[in-house]
């Protein structure tokens, strides 16, 4: 058993998700550790513009935790080919047997540009060389952790101002959708 106590502070931290382009800037957080686990007593970040994310949570061992996040005018997707801004509240919970993400996100605006090749991200692909002279390369198996079973229940809404633009077509969309079920095979 782990015993002890301590604190960790993060000041002016930075995080960027390469797939979505979402950015967290000016991350300020306070973590407190005790004999039962860890508490996130303060979390605040911006998206580098006007959006903010705040939150708090508690982790008591590996199978007992909750993180509550509040988003305000946050850039959820920020790529050359897609941008989405939204508000909402999300709860992440993990218990023995799996995790859950629940909440509501209201999308205030978004734009997805399809077939815009000069701005689209370049996909990364695995390369397998064939007919290469010499012995074949050794393939080593990687140990991986078993997948975490995650349940989703997220309500997404957008009153409009969600645009899809392609060559010759521009459309504005509204949205009222619930994403439910297993994260490995979500149901819309």
């Amino acid at each position: 058993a782990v015993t002890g106590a301590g604190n960790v502070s993060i000041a002016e931290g930075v995080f960027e998700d390469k797939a979505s382009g979402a950015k967290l800037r000016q991350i300020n957080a306070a973590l407190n550790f005790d004999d039962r686990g860890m508490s996130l007593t303060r979390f605040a970040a911006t998206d580098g513009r006007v959006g903010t994310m705040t939150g708090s949570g508690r982790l008591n061992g590996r199978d007992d935790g909750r993180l509550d996040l509040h988003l305000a005018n946050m850039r959820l997707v920020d790529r050359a080919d897609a941008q989405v801004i939204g508000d909402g509240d999300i709860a992440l919970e993990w218990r023995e047997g799996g995790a859950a993400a629940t909440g509501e996100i209201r999308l205030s605006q978004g734009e997805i540009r399809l077939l815009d090749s000069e701005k689209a991200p370049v996909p990364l692909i695995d390369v397998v060389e064939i007919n290469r002279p010499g012995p074949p390369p050794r393939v080593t198996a990687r140990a991986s952790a078993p997948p975490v079973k995650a349940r989703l229940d997220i309500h997404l809404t957008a009153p409009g101002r969600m645009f899809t633009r392609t060559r010759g077509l521009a459309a504005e969309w509204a949205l009222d959708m619930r994403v439910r079920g297993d994260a490995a095979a979500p149901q819309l």
Side-chain angles (χ1 to χ4, degrees), residues 11-95:
E12 299 300 317
V14 174
F15 171 81
E16 183 171 343
D17 177 58
K18 297 295 182 189
S20 70
K23 299 167 186 70
L24 296 179
R25 303 288 189 251
Q26 300 169 319
I27 299 172
N28 291 295
L31 297 149
N32 298 317
F33 298 88
D34 58 33
D35 290 342
R36 295 179 319 159
M38 173 187 80
S39 291
L40 176 63
T41 56
R42 177 177 44 86
F43 177 83
T46 72
D47 63 5
R49 297 183 183 159
V50 298
T52 60
M53 179 186 292
T54 57
S56 62
R58 174 83 191 165
L59 175 63
N60 295 318
R62 183 181 143 147
D63 296 323
D64 180 18
R66 181 179 174 100
L67 174 64
D68 293 298
L69 296 172
H70 176 73
L71 313 172
N73 206 31
M74 193 73 187
R75 286 188 178 271
L76 305 171
V77 178
D78 193 12
R79 300 186 332 209
D81 63 337
Q83 295 182 349
V84 177
I85 297 173
D87 305 291
D89 293 292
I90 299 292
L92 305 171
E93 281 190 89
W94 48 100
R95 302 280 179 243

Side-chain angles (χ1 to χ4, degrees), residues 121-166:
V122 177
L124 299 175
I125 58 172
D126 291 329
V127 175
V128 177
E129 294 183 33
I130 58 172
N131 298 326
R132 178 182 177 180
R138 286 184 54 181
V139 177
T140 56
R142 292 184 197 159
S144 62
V148 174
K149 184 168 177 63
R151 182 183 55 81
L152 301 173
D153 188 4
I154 306 287
H155 187 205
L156 295 167
T157 57
R161 298 186 60 195
M162 299 300 297
F163 296 95
T164 303
R165 301 185 197 283
T166 66

Side-chain angles (χ1 to χ4, degrees), residues 89-112:
D89 293 292
I90 299 292
L92 305 171
E93 281 190 89
W94 48 100
R95 302 280 179 243
E96 186 174 346
T102 59
E104 302 228 0
I105 297 177
R106 294 164 301 284
L107 305 175
S108 57
Q109 65 184 29
E111 184 170 337
I112 298 172

